[in-house]
Amino acid sequence: MRTVLRRSRWTRALASVARACAVLAAVSVAVFAVSDLLPSDAVAVRAGAGATAAQLDALRADAGLDAPAHERYARWLAGLLTGDAGTSLVNDRPVAVLVGARLPATLTLAGAALMVAVPLTAVLAWAAGAAPPRARSWAAGAVAALAAVPQPAFVAGLVAVFSVALGVLPPVSLVRAGGSPLDEPALLVLPALALAVPIAAYGAGLLGGALADTRALPHVRDADLRGVPRWRIATRHVAPFLLAPALRVLAVSAGALVAATAVVETMFGYQGLGELLVSAIATRDVPVVQAVALLAAAVVVAGTAAADAAAALTEPVTA
């Protein structure tokens, strides 16, 4: 029986990885198609309004933009598989160099946000799912309201309180040339909070429901009635059933963080991948848009697949 169960778990884990590969392939097609539908292109932006149609056609031919879409997709995908993400249509620099220059700043911001979001999610989830009934209802409502606040409005509120009213934190997060965000930690505080708090509220809403359902399981209630210490109930009876949903919530939170980075970085002037993506969209720099969007999607897909695989291997059996 144990052997069959172990094989079943590994089958589910491998199926998660296979699904992730299929999803990533589909996402690559979607990213290419959506970026290809952007109005105008970088050639037209660079050439200016005075360029003739013949000049634009010649420039597009030099950039390889005159080929059919399926040929350009195949060429782009082949380049990605060999480590070549193409060349920027705006400044003629390799896309990999542009992304690599911005990646450390975004990873630093994401790490700071996760350091805040993970413990905050745990606290809010406990309040929403394990607190006394009256406090639980109030906490669940507060968590839902906080998760529903639009990202730009939340950023504006943080700036209004901590920068304008209190004057304790800078309203922008511009890093000095050649420097690192870690050189000036104050620059990370507001962007990290802007990312972490809404994501923690959203994750707590998901995990709080799982916690409440777990506490209602017969063996948990029976242990409570028998007077088993609460710490023992939490560690031996509740935690194993929360591991799988917690991993999934972490993956969802990471995906939400990736999606919110573009808004937060742009509003704070933080020079990371999100800000690079927004500026590339504005200039129709399709190779940069495609590379950053696919990288973000790959992070989300890989995180979700890893969470599903880990959940399949660790989820306890209730039967």
Side-chain angles (χ1 to χ4, degrees), residues 186-306:
L187 300 179
L188 282 171
V189 176
L190 287 185
L193 287 177
L195 286 171
V197 175
I199 289 171
Y202 177 72
L206 299 176
L207 196 56
L211 177 57
D213 292 342
T214 302
R215 285 170 56 85
L217 290 174
H219 75 282
V220 177
R221 289 186 296 175
D222 179 66
D224 193 21
L225 292 174
R226 287 188 289 108
V228 177
R230 289 191 175 182
W231 66 266
R232 192 177 185 87
I233 293 176
T235 56
R236 297 196 61 179
H237 300 286
V238 175
F241 286 86
L242 284 180
L243 180 58
L247 290 171
R248 292 191 175 100
V249 166
L250 180 61
V252 170
S253 298
L257 188 149
V258 170
T261 297
V263 176
V264 171
E265 288 187 355
T266 301
M267 293 189 71
F268 282 105
Y270 187 88
Q271 297 178 353
L273 286 179
E275 195 269 344
L276 176 64
L277 175 62
V278 172
S279 63
I281 291 174
T283 57
R284 305 298 187 266
D285 197 351
V286 172
V288 176
V289 173
Q290 292 170 341
V292 177
L294 188 60
L295 178 60
V299 171
V300 175
V301 172
T304 304

Side-chain angles (χ1 to χ4, degrees), residues 22-49:
V23 169
L24 192 57
V27 167
S28 72
V29 176
V31 166
F32 183 87
V34 171
S35 61
D36 201 47
L37 292 175
L38 287 174
S40 185
D41 55 33
V43 167
V45 173
R46 291 182 64 182

